[in-house]
Amino acid sequence: MARLWHLAVVLTLAGGAASFVTNRPEAWQVADTSRDRLLALDVYEHFVPNVVYAGRALAAGGSALVWDPLQHCGQPFAAFNGLWYPLHWLLVVFGIDVGLRLLVASKLLIGGLFAYLLGRDLGARPLAALIGALAFQLGNAATHVASWTPLVLEPFMWFPAVFLCVERLLRAPSARCVVALGAASCMALLPAWPQLVVFLYQLAL
């Protein structure tokens, strides 16, 4: 029974993530002319051009991945654009159109799963923890940053994982908890959007 429930949790959260990326095509439009407003400007003016640049740099041998001479009279490219974040390679494998949706859906799923585990760890009943996870996964904050740029969504989705590690570390300190906390914090930093990570450290530590 427990395995069936865990499977139901995963499928429910996966369905929530999939519903966002399939039923919200306007989330990645450049502009909504009917309302005269910009929607996903950062996706198309920052995120996608850097993905294209990374692809061309890889095709040219990879040396331009270290240093980008085209920005600010030159700047480190990989460190500033989240190149080392593992899920960004979905864009390389599946292309920008499909990869972007898979990237957003996978992050919503990861955030939802850790939110569920955090709820259970704090004493919530399974159904209550699942509802809380859905509220985090598909709430205003998550869907807003998901429509903004994946670079902001990714550290935000690691918040529940860091909080879960902190809770377990406070309850029963161990080397395993320390390593898990370090790994979760590192994953939050790799997308190269440290502003949210500062808030995360303030809340968690």
Side-chain angles (χ1 to χ4, degrees):
M1 182 64 71
R3 289 185 178 180
L4 288 177
W5 171 254
H6 293 156
L7 178 61
V9 168
V10 173
L11 292 177
T12 300
L13 294 173
S19 70
F20 176 81
V21 298
T22 56
N23 296 325
R24 290 280 306 278
E26 75 280 1
W28 292 286
Q29 291 176 358
V30 178
D32 182 351
T33 54
S34 65
R35 300 182 183 180
D36 192 26
R37 63 171 180 160
L38 297 174
L39 292 177
L41 186 63
D42 281 346
V43 170
Y44 291 100
E45 284 201 346
H46 177 260
F47 186 76
V48 170
N50 282 317
V51 170
V52 173
Y53 175 88
R56 291 175 178 174
L58 283 172
S63 61
L65 292 176
V66 178
W67 186 260
D68 178 7
L70 305 176
Q71 298 292 327
H72 305 132
C73 297
Q75 69 178 25
F77 177 80
F80 283 7
N81 294 282
L83 185 65
W84 309 126
Y85 189 69
L87 291 178
H88 283 175
W89 290 93
L90 289 171
L91 298 160
V92 177
V93 176
F94 295 98
I96 292 176
D97 290 333
V98 175
L100 177 61
R101 285 164 171 77
L102 288 175
L103 178 63
V104 172
S106 63
K107 286 313 306 166
L108 291 173
L109 175 59
I110 290 172
L113 288 173
F114 277 112
Y116 172 79
L117 294 174
L118 177 61
R120 292 290 291 138
D121 197 71
L122 293 174
R125 293 181 179 274
L127 183 58
L130 177 57
I131 293 172
L134 286 169
F136 173 79
Q137 180 193 59
L138 300 176
N140 288 339
T143 55
H144 174 71
V145 295
S147 302
W148 181 5
T149 171
L151 296 178
V152 184
L153 174 67
E154 288 155 354
F156 184 68
M157 287 292 107
W158 284 102
F159 275 38
V162 172
F163 290 147
L164 176 62
C165 293
V166 170
E167 288 292 331
R168 293 186 175 180
L169 185 61
L170 292 174
R171 187 180 304 122
S174 68
R176 181 179 180 180
C177 288
V178 171
V179 171
L181 177 59
S185 301
C186 181
M187 291 299 290
L189 276 171
L190 284 178
W193 200 273
Q195 297 92 320
L196 279 183
V197 181
V198 172
F199 300 143
L200 172 60
Y201 290 165
Q202 289 177 331
L203 289 170
L205 305 178

